[in-house]
Amino acid sequence: MNAPREAFIAPRDVAARMPIGGTIDTVMRELLPWASSFAVVPVSGFAVGAVAFGASGALYAGANLEFAGAPLSASVHAEQAVVANAWLRGEREIQALAVTATPCGHCRQFLNELASADRLAIFSAGRGPSTLAELLPASFGPRDLGVRAGLLEPADHRLAAPVDPDDALALAALGAADAGYAPYTRTYAGIALTDAAGNVVTGRYAECAAYNPSLPALQCALSAMTLRRLDTASITAAVMVEAAGPSSQRTAAAAALQAIAGIPLRYVAASPREDR
Ligand SMILES: [Zn+2]
């Protein structure tokens, strides 16, 4: 069956791909080359693809993303990409994940942030089915910090930001910040990017209990661009909306945008609404 152009397969089309008597992991494994085709790997040349199955019945693709001339920390792993893809498309829960290679330690920690972490099935090349709990024993996660929420649960932080109602790009960034996940610092952040063709892509900050596998808003948006097969070097404008707090992505995002597209970052500081 043909590979879809988008990094997403709607539930009815997933059902059509299911062989009689087959299981979803068969379909997911067959789709891994499609997911890998979205990889952009100018540094390593090592393409990784991931396919996620959502509670909605949809399938999502993700792939790794690297930037020549930028720090390795600007990279996005395929597992992060596929989680972000499902999240931006409104998926409420990821039930299973297939990956071309066994998830690295960084990604196991990132996946532990999912609301569904304790029931997430993982299928990786050359291995039988496993669970995240098997891959990440004696884990540290949100519950250890008293956080009950999880990544992919819908949110609306209702941030207040000085954004002109006609400023569509900043409004898109504010919407992304409102839906962000930052239960540890509450520095919810969103970014909106546009390119020469007028495409608008947003990204949300996804924080992690261990801090370092957090997915910055810019990386989330850049990954979303590559999953639409858009060139990140063609970005012409970028706006970040970020809630003030003990952490900030402003300088890292500005430096990365200069390295990737040679453009400045427009930054808008937000705050919680007083009526909360
Ligand atoms: Zn990884």
Side-chain angles (χ1 to χ4, degrees), residues 101-189:
T102 304
C104 75
H106 170 97
C107 287
R108 296 177 196 198
Q109 183 67 56
F110 183 78
L111 293 169
N112 200 35
E113 208 63 40
L114 288 168
S116 58
D118 62 352
R119 51 192 181 277
L120 179 67
I122 296 180
F123 313 111
S124 52
R127 287 180 63 106
S130 55
T131 63
L132 181 61
E134 288 167 344
L135 295 178
L136 191 69
S139 66
F140 177 81
R143 305 296 171 268
D144 296 298
L145 294 175
V147 168
R148 302 179 74 85
L151 184 56
L152 259 64
E153 286 179 351
D156 181 4
H157 307 299
R158 304 183 66 243
L159 299 172
V163 172
D164 187 316
D166 296 327
D167 187 344
L169 203 60
L171 285 174
L174 176 58
D178 275 335
Y181 177 79
Y184 311 103
T185 66
R186 302 196 184 280
T187 54
Y188 307 107

Side-chain angles (χ1 to χ4, degrees), residues 26-261:
T26 308
V27 179
M28 293 170 74
R29 287 180 195 269
E30 284 175 358
L31 286 167
L32 285 173
W34 161 66
S36 298
S37 76
F38 291 95
V40 177
V41 286
V43 180
S44 70
F46 186 78
V48 180
V51 174
F53 179 58
S56 67
L59 286 171
Y60 305 87
N64 55 337
L65 170 61
E66 301 166 353
F67 304 96
L72 293 182
S73 58
S75 307
V76 180
H77 288 201
E79 296 89 330
Q80 294 180 300
V82 79
V83 167
N85 183 15
W87 190 31
L88 291 171
R89 291 176 186 271
E91 181 63 61
R92 301 277 181 102
E93 180 180 321
I94 292 177
Q95 297 183 337
L97 193 64
V99 196
T100 53
T102 304
C104 75
H106 170 97
C107 287
R108 296 177 196 198
Q109 183 67 56
F110 183 78
L111 293 169
N112 200 35
E113 208 63 40
L114 288 168
S116 58
D118 62 352
R119 51 192 181 277
L120 179 67
I122 296 180
F123 313 111
S124 52
R127 287 180 63 106
S130 55
T131 63
L132 181 61
E134 288 167 344
L135 295 178
L136 191 69
S139 66
F140 177 81
R143 305 296 171 268
D144 296 298
L145 294 175
V147 168
R148 302 179 74 85
L151 184 56
L152 259 64
E153 286 179 351
D156 181 4
H157 307 299
R158 304 183 66 243
L159 299 172
V163 172
D164 187 316
D166 296 327
D167 187 344
L169 203 60
L171 285 174
L174 176 58
D178 275 335
Y181 177 79
Y184 311 103
T185 66
R186 302 196 184 280
T187 54
Y188 307 107
I191 197 159
L193 309 173
T194 189
D195 65 6
N199 296 295
V200 173
V201 179
T202 62
R204 306 167 185 165
Y205 177 35
E207 206 163 64
C208 177
Y211 286 11
N212 275 326
S214 298
L215 181 67
L218 176 62
Q219 270 64 27
C220 182
L222 293 169
S223 175
M225 275 193 89
T226 57
L227 292 177
R228 289 173 59 179
R229 303 201 191 277
L230 301 174
D231 182 3
T232 57
S234 70
I235 298 167
T236 53
V239 184
M240 173 180 279
V241 173
E242 182 181 59
S247 168
S248 176
Q249 299 164 55
R250 182 180 190 171
T251 52
L257 276 168
Q258 275 297 342
I260 294 163

